[in-house]
Structure formats: C-alpha cells, structure tokens
C-alpha cells in the first residue's frame, strides 16, 4: 500500500486552515475554506423587505429624476436639442439636405401606394407624410429613422376596417384617422410608463414568420391591378387565390404587361443600388422613375384598359378633430396590434441605425416620439404611421446625420401637396401596385427560415407556425398564435431549467458539466448539481425530480475518492440562481427533510447575496446549518470528502454506523477539532482566525484535496 496526495491550485494566503484529517490517518492534510459572509437578519428589515423590494425600481427612477438638470429635462422631452447643440452646419447640412431630397423623392409615390393598400384615397398617404415627419424630427430620438406609411401597417388597417365600413365610404376614412389617434395614445403611454420592455417577449422568429406571411398576402392583394379585375379583399391566402382563379376570364394584358415591366425596372434598380456603391442613388429613385415612366406612357397612349389614380385634392390638410369615437372599442385590439408591429419595426431599425452612427437611443423615448407624431398627425387627416425599413436604410446610406434630413423630406412633401398633386392624377394603378410589391418582396425572409433550420429547430418550428397561421387563418390570429407559442416556449424553458452534474477537471479546482467535459470526474458519496435558472413555483417540482434522478445516474460517471456504497452529500451549486421565491424555499425545506430521512446532507455553494438573504429570512440557512454554505464548490467538496472519509474509516475500525447528520450531534468543525486534539473555538476556525498546526508543516501555496490509497 502506498499513499498519494493530490494537490490543487494555490489558495489565498489569507485563508485559514479550518480543519485537518483525522489523527488516525497515515498522512494528514489541510482543508482551506473561504468563510461565507452570512447576512444579519433583523425583525425590522424582515418586516419592510417586501415594501422596499417592490418600490426599488420606482425609487431608482425617481432618484434619477430628482438629479436631472433643466437641460436634461429639455433633452428628455425634445431629443432634437441633443443633436442641435453639436450640429456642424458646414459639414453636415449638405449631406442631410441630399438625404432628405432622396428620401422625399422615394416617399411621394410610396405613400400613395400604401394608402391604396390601406383602402384609402392616395391623398391620405400624402397627408400621413406631412405633420408626422415634422413632429417626429422634434420628439423622436433617432436621427436616421424615416417615418411615414408602411406596407404592414397599411395591410392591418385595410384588413380590420374593411369588416366595419365600406372602403369607399367617409366612415372608413374617419376610422383610419381615429386609429392613428388611438395608436399614438398607446405608444405615448408605453413610452411615458417605460413599458417598451414588453415587446421583448415577441421573439425574432415570430416577427420574421409574421412579416414573411404578411408580405405574401400584400403581394397577392396587389395582383388585381396587374390582372385588370377586382378580387376579394382578404388577409387569408386561400380566399385570395380562389378569387384570382375565379376571375381569370376577365384577365387583361395591357395592365399585366405594364405592371410586370414596371416591377422588373424597380427590382433591377434596387439590386443595382444595393450591389454597387456608385449606383446607390438608383435604389431611392426607382419609385419616382416608375411613376414618371407610367405617367408619360398613359398621357401619350391613353390606354383605356389601364386604370389611373384619378383626382387628387390640392393643398395642405386642414385641422380637424378625429370622429367616429363610437367605434373606438372595436378598434382597440387593432390599435394594440399596430402598436406592437410599429414598435418592433421602428425601434429595432432605430437601434440598429443608432449603433452604426455612434449614439445612444432610448427605446421608451422613441415610443413617445412615434406616439406624439401619430396623435398630432390624426388631427391633420393622417392614418397610422411608423418607421420604414426601406426608407430609413436609404436615409442612412445617403449620409443623413440628423433630423434635418427628415425636415427636408417634410418640406418636399409640403411642396408636393401644394403644387404637384395635379401631376399625380395620371399615375397608373398598376405602377403603384408594382411599387408596393417591390417593397414587400424584401420582407419575404426565406433566408431566415433556412438559417433557423440549421441552427435551432425549435425556432424554425415557431417561424413555421407563425407564418402558416398568418397565411391561412389571418393576420390577427397569426400574431396571437405566434406570440402565444413563443411565450409557451419561454414558459417551458423556465419551468424545465437546465440542470447539470458537475465534475472536477483534472489538475484544477474547477468544476464543470460532466457531459460537456467527459474528462471531469466526480467523487464517491457526493453528487454536485448546478441549477442554471432562478427557482420559483413553476420549476420546483422539475428540479426536485431531477435531483432524485441524479442520485441514481451519478454512478455512471468516472469517480474518485473513498469506496462507499451510497450518496452521503448533495452539493447544490447555485451561482446561476438569481432569484428564489417562497415556493422554492418550501421546496428546499421539503428536500432537506427528505434527504435527512435517508441520511443525506445538503450543501450549498456560491449563493447570490439576494438569494442568501431570502434563505436567511425564511430560516433555511439555520435549518440546513450555516456550516453547510460555501463560497466555492471546491470548499464544499473538501468538507464533504472529510465526512465521507471519516464515515468510511469509522465503519472499518468499529461496528459503528455511518455518520449521522442529526441536530443533536456535534458539527463537522467540532468533530475535526476533537480528532486533531485542538481546543480552538469553532467561531475562530469558521472566521479564519484559528489555524491548524498541521498547516505549518505544509507548503502554504499547495492545497491538498484527497489522499488516495492504492
């Protein structure tokens, strides 16, 4: 027989040796442990804990408000002052002016196209680009975001309002304007109450699947202008396809040829503008080019089979209070849906552009800016608007540095309303439809589906469910199902957290998942488990089931240490546990009692301070015993190994039973003191003041872990 001592990494010279091996051992070793700083729990702190924790967020928020200067208050309500104070007119104005002209040229035909998609007259698309642009330039925090009508919101407006009123009626227009007011109020309230974080629960897979299906529906709804006959208005793909097939005998070649040629021109110009930097202007000028070509063609040849926009009122919109409030209750779900879509599209784009241009963006301020622009826009005949992905990208690529570019676009839109509307009367309907189709083609995100299939099958399933339900059951149901399934996945992951058995990496004091690191080894009689999530009422049962399971499966891994037949200790590594509720506290108490009946001791390592405080207040620390809480997993393993070795030797040298961990027996530290014959107080050893004389004979920079006999 020979003795081999395994050493671990150096310990801090300030750490005290808390105990030594039993005196009967041939070679004794030193156990070094970092003492846990237990919180002091008083009655007053316990009674006020709930109120203080619940008001923590508000106290921090109010303290920030009290510290704000008058300039910071101005910046909060008028973010434009942030860039006005540092604006370099000589360097930035020219690029901002050109970017504004570029976006304005793109915006005029797009706004009319999207108004037609929403079931409104083209003039309301132009109205929606008037007041909201100027208001957002003042209240919005993004310097590159281009606000105005977008395809997805326009489809939502059409899909809901067409079931309430006839698109040709005045009520339909009033409801669209009222919807802008309601969306603006919701966005402003969410911004003021700082509720932008709620949108984080909608996963990117849901957004991608929803926009992909919506883009297909939008494209099919515009096909009627290519085919030359009307089709049923629907947000479901089957009625649209059936209507297209049913009216095939009314097919007309002239609008189809003209629309197809226009679409080909738009896609070619967009591709060249994206792929070649020196042709970047083609991307923005594509819609205007299509409008000019279509208008010239109609004015020269006067084809009777190609329908045109018709009369467009000239002049700026008049101030008018939104009406039809008796329908407000029926529009609330749609207002919430449009608000969610607007937030996802606008805030996501704005944050990406802010990161590229080197400034910070407050998503709640962004919500407030979008809300105010919709509220004030509704008083000037605007329907719901939000940030446009395509126009914002063009604005950024054109070099926009501030909100000046938006103001220039707004001025251009003002000029169009005052002087150019007679020129828009001869724009072919198929040209506007081609502009819409070319814009939504980019929303069909099949690349994302392929990526999700390769990376995460669960996200691919979520993408598939959302896109399928949106296509076949409608937009509202698609969103509800997608968000519901997304939340179900979140709840499932939270209720079934990842739990790992840890083993020691050879030659270190580091403990890692044995499945991830097969070379890691465990110890006989000890199970080390890491819980990788907060513990609360929904996952306590799952965690308890896994802990019972690991008592059995732990024997399948490489094991070192004393040769014992059963589990003596379960060490819970709780570093990832950031929160624990009352249900979890009760589960720990039940687990302790269950283990106690089977002579198994729980040890807990690396607790979060808040979790440790909760356990202290609930009495779990006293129930388990303060000596069983450790800073490191390695400390817990050392102490548990001492117990296992003591139990093994006790059973070999006498007929005594295994070590019992009952309350009437001395603590582990007391047993070690008795074995080593020292009279140092336990408190001194726990605090690190006492030091075993055995440690003086050892190299203080070495930390022996286990004596292995062969």
């Amino acid at each position: 027989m020979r003795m081999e001592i395994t050493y671990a990494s150096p310990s801090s010279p300030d750490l005290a040796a808390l105990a030594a091996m039993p005196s009967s051992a041939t070679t004794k070793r030193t156990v070094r442990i970092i003492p846990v700083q237990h919180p002091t729990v008083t009655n007053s702190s316990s009674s006020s804990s709930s109120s203080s924790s619940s008001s923590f967020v508000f106290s921090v928020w109010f303290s920030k408000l009290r510290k704000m200067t008058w300039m910071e208050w101005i910046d909060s309500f008028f973010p434009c002052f942030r860039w006005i104070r540092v604006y370099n007119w000589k360097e930035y104005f020219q690029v901002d002016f050109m970017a504004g002209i570029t976006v304005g040229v793109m915006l005029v035909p797009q706004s009319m196209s999207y108004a037609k998609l929403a079931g409104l007259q083209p003039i309301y698309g132009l109205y929606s680009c008037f007041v909201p642009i100027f208001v957002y330039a003042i209240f919005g925090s993004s310097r590159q975001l281009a606000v105005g009508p977008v395809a997805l919101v326009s489809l939502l407006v059409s899909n809901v309002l067409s079931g309430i009123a006839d698109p040709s009626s005045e009520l339909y227009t009033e409801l669209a304007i009222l919807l802008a007011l309601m969306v603006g109020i919701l966005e402003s309230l969410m911004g003021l109450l700082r509720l932008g974080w709620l949108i984080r629960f909608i996963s990117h897979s849901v957004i991608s699947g929803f926009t992909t299906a919506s883009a297909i529906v939008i494209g099919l709804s515009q096909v009627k202008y290519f085919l030359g006959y009307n089709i049923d208005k629907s947000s479901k793909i089957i009625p649209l396809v059936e209507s297209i097939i049913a009216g095939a005998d009314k097919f007309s070649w002239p609008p189809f040829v003209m629309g197809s040629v226009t679409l080909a021109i738009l896609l070619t110009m967009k591709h060249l503008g994206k792929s070649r930097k020196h042709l970047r202007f083609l991307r923005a000028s594509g819609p205007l080019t299509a409008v000019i070509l279509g208008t010239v063609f109609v004015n020269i040849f006067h084809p009777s089979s190609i329908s045109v926009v018709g009369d467009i009122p000239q002049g700026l919109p008049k101030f008018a209070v939104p009406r039809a409030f008796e329908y407000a209750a029926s529009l609330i779900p749609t207002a919430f849906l449009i608000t969610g879509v607007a937030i996802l599209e606008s805030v996501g784009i704005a944050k990406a552009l802010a990161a590229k241009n080197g400034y910070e963006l407050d998503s709640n301020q962004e919500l407030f800016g979008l809300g105010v622009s919709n509220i004030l826009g509704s008083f000037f005949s605007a329907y719901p608007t939000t940030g446009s992905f395509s126009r914002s990208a063009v604005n950024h690529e054109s070099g926009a540095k501030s909100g000046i570019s938006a103001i220039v676009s707004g001025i251009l839109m003002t000029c169009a309303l005052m002087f150019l509307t007679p020129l828009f009367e001869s724009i072919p309907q198929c040209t506007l439809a081609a502009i819409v189709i070319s814009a939504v083609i980019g929303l069909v995100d099949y690349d994302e589906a392929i990526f999700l299939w390769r990376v995460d099958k669960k996200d691919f399933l979520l993408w598939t469910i959302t896109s399928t339900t949106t296509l076949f059951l409608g937009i509202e149901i698609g969103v509800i199902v997608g968000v519901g399934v997304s939340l179900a996945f979140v709840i499932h992951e939270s209720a079934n957290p990842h739990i790992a058995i840890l083993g020691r990496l050879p030659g270190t004091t580091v403990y890692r998942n044995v499945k991830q690191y097969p070379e890691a080894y465990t110890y006989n009689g000890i199970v080390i488990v890491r819980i990788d999530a907060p513990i609360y009422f929904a996952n306590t049962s799952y965690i308890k089931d896994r802990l019972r399971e690991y008592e059995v499966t732990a024997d399948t891994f490489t094991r070192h240490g004393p040769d014992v037949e059963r589990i003596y200790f379960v060490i819970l590594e709780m570093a990832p546990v950031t929160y624990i509720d009352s249900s979890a506290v009760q589960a720990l108490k039940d687990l302790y009692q269950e283990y106690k009946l089977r002579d198994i001791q729980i040890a807990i390592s690396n607790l979060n301070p808040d979790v440790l405080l909760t356990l202290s207040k609930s009495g779990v620390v006293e129930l388990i015993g303060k000596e069983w809480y450790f800073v490191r997993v390695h400390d817990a393993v050392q102490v548990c190994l001492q117990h296992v070795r003591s139990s093994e030797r006790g059973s070999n040298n006498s007929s005594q039973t295994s070590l019992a961990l009952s309350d009437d027996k001395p603590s582990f530290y007391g047993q070690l003191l008795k074995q080593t014959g020292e009279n140092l107080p336990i408190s001194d050893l726990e605090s690190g003041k006492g030091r075993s004389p055995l440690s003086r004979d050892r190299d203080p920079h070495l930390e022996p872990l286990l004596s292995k006999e062969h």
Side-chain angles (χ1 to χ4, degrees), residues 401-460:
K401 300 295 183 183
S402 69
I404 294 291
S405 61
I407 294 174
V408 172
S409 297
I411 293 173
L412 185 62
M413 186 60 60
T414 304
C415 295
L417 284 168
M418 295 180 66
F419 308 112
L420 302 180
T421 52
L423 300 178
F424 301 151
E425 296 177 1
S426 299
I427 298 176
Q429 299 271 26
C430 59
T431 298
L432 295 181
I435 293 173
V436 173
I437 294 173
S438 68
V440 300
I441 282 178
L443 297 178
V444 180
D445 201 358
Y446 58 86
D447 288 334
E448 179 71 12
I450 296 173
F451 172 78
L452 292 176
W453 173 259
R454 292 200 315 263
V455 174
D456 191 336
K457 299 295 190 296
K458 186 181 294 184
D459 278 343
F460 175 79

Side-chain angles (χ1 to χ4, degrees), residues 219-241:
L220 288 176
S221 68
Q222 297 298 296
V223 168
K224 63 182 180 180
Y225 298 112
F226 279 51
L227 301 178
Y229 58 88
N230 288 327
I231 61 175
D232 294 339
K233 181 172 288 188
S234 176
S235 63
K236 304 173 186 177
I237 190 171
I238 292 179
L240 285 173
V241 173

Side-chain angles (χ1 to χ4, degrees), residues 294-494:
T295 303
V296 170
F297 179 84
V298 168
N299 286 328
I300 293 175
F301 297 101
H302 303 287
S304 58
S305 57
I306 295 180
S307 60
V308 296
V309 170
D311 184 52
I312 296 180
Q314 188 173 1
L316 300 178
K318 296 180 181 180
F319 177 86
V321 178
R323 292 178 289 180
F325 283 97
E326 62 272 18
Y327 293 92
S330 61
L331 296 179
I332 290 177
T334 306
F336 274 102
L337 181 58
I338 293 177
T339 300
V341 171
I343 293 171
L344 292 172
E345 190 168 357
S346 295
V347 177
I349 299 166
K351 282 190 172 182
L353 293 176
K356 289 181 179 180
N357 288 274
Y359 63 92
E360 295 184 1
L361 183 135
D362 185 355
S363 58
N364 293 297
Q365 178 63 53
E366 189 69 12
L367 278 176
F368 181 75
L370 290 170
V372 173
S373 65
N374 272 307
I375 291 174
L376 296 182
S378 67
F379 289 92
F380 292 90
S381 303
Y383 77 97
T385 59
T386 188
S388 166
F389 179 81
S390 59
R391 295 194 298 271
S392 298
V394 169
N395 199 29
H396 167 68
E397 291 169 2
S398 300
K401 300 295 183 183
S402 69
I404 294 291
S405 61
I407 294 174
V408 172
S409 297
I411 293 173
L412 185 62
M413 186 60 60
T414 304
C415 295
L417 284 168
M418 295 180 66
F419 308 112
L420 302 180
T421 52
L423 300 178
F424 301 151
E425 296 177 1
S426 299
I427 298 176
Q429 299 271 26
C430 59
T431 298
L432 295 181
I435 293 173
V436 173
I437 294 173
S438 68
V440 300
I441 282 178
L443 297 178
V444 180
D445 201 358
Y446 58 86
D447 288 334
E448 179 71 12
I450 296 173
F451 172 78
L452 292 176
W453 173 259
R454 292 200 315 263
V455 174
D456 191 336
K457 299 295 190 296
K458 186 181 294 184
D459 278 343
F460 175 79
L461 176 63
L462 186 57
W463 186 95
T464 304
I465 290 173
T466 305
S467 59
T468 303
T469 52
T470 302
L471 277 175
F472 292 95
L473 301 180
I475 291 176
E476 294 87 351
I477 297 178
V479 170
I480 293 172
V481 171
V483 173
V485 175
S486 180
L487 290 176
F489 282 171
V490 171
I491 294 171
H492 179 269
E493 292 296 328
S494 178

Side-chain angles (χ1 to χ4, degrees), residues 102-129:
T102 303
V103 172
V105 166
M106 185 179 184
L107 180 58
V108 171
Q110 273 196 351
S111 62
M112 291 189 291
S113 302
Y114 293 150
K116 292 291 293 181
L117 175 61
L120 298 166
Q121 294 298 316
I123 187 61
Y124 289 99
L126 298 175
Y127 288 164
S128 300
C129 300

Side-chain angles (χ1 to χ4, degrees), residues 5 19 42 45 86 103 115 130 147 152-153 175 204 235 251 269 372 382 388 393 446 574 587 634 674 688:
I5 301 178
T42 62
S45 65
V86 297
V103 172
F130 175 52
V147 172
L152 197 51
V153 172
L175 291 176
H204 180 71
S235 63
F251 175 76
M269 295 181 71
V372 173
S388 166
Y446 58 86
M574 296 179 67
H634 186 61
K674 184 177 179 181

Side-chain angles (χ1 to χ4, degrees), residues 387-615:
S388 166
F389 179 81
S390 59
R391 295 194 298 271
S392 298
V394 169
N395 199 29
H396 167 68
E397 291 169 2
S398 300
K401 300 295 183 183
S402 69
I404 294 291
S405 61
I407 294 174
V408 172
S409 297
I411 293 173
L412 185 62
M413 186 60 60
T414 304
C415 295
L417 284 168
M418 295 180 66
F419 308 112
L420 302 180
T421 52
L423 300 178
F424 301 151
E425 296 177 1
S426 299
I427 298 176
Q429 299 271 26
C430 59
T431 298
L432 295 181
I435 293 173
V436 173
I437 294 173
S438 68
V440 300
I441 282 178
L443 297 178
V444 180
D445 201 358
Y446 58 86
D447 288 334
E448 179 71 12
I450 296 173
F451 172 78
L452 292 176
W453 173 259
R454 292 200 315 263
V455 174
D456 191 336
K457 299 295 190 296
K458 186 181 294 184
D459 278 343
F460 175 79
L461 176 63
L462 186 57
W463 186 95
T464 304
I465 290 173
T466 305
S467 59
T468 303
T469 52
T470 302
L471 277 175
F472 292 95
L473 301 180
I475 291 176
E476 294 87 351
I477 297 178
V479 170
I480 293 172
V481 171
V483 173
V485 175
S486 180
L487 290 176
F489 282 171
V490 171
I491 294 171
H492 179 269
E493 292 296 328
S494 178
N496 299 272
H498 180 262
I499 303 176
I501 293 182
L502 303 186
R504 185 185 179 192
L505 296 179
T508 72
T509 57
V510 177
Y511 294 79
R512 291 291 182 265
N513 187 346
V514 292
K515 291 184 178 180
Q516 186 178 0
Y517 297 91
E519 67 274 17
Y521 56 85
T522 59
Y523 291 98
N524 292 315
I526 302 173
V527 177
I528 310 169
V529 179
R530 186 185 68 216
I531 303 171
D532 292 332
I535 308 176
Y536 69 113
F537 64 92
N539 60 19
T540 52
S541 297
Y542 177 84
I543 292 173
K544 289 170 67 175
D545 292 342
R546 296 288 74 76
L547 290 176
R548 297 187 189 101
E549 176 186 319
Y550 290 153
E551 287 184 50
V552 179
T553 59
D555 293 333
T556 61
F557 303 105
T558 304
R559 308 184 69 80
H560 290 190
D563 188 11
V564 293
E565 298 294 332
R566 68 178 185 86
I567 300 297
Y568 284 90
F569 296 95
V570 174
I571 300 174
L572 301 180
E573 154 67 316
M574 296 179 67
V577 180
T578 57
Y579 169 75
I580 188 169
D581 71 352
S582 58
S583 299
V585 168
Q586 187 59 47
L588 277 176
K589 291 180 179 179
D590 296 342
L591 195 63
Y592 171 79
Q593 297 297 339
E594 179 183 330
Y595 280 156
K596 185 177 179 180
L597 294 175
R598 289 186 282 137
D599 201 15
I600 297 175
Q601 174 66 46
I602 293 179
I604 298 177
S605 72
N606 211 357
L607 272 174
N608 177 289
D610 294 333
V611 175
L612 182 58
L613 181 62
T614 301
L615 296 182

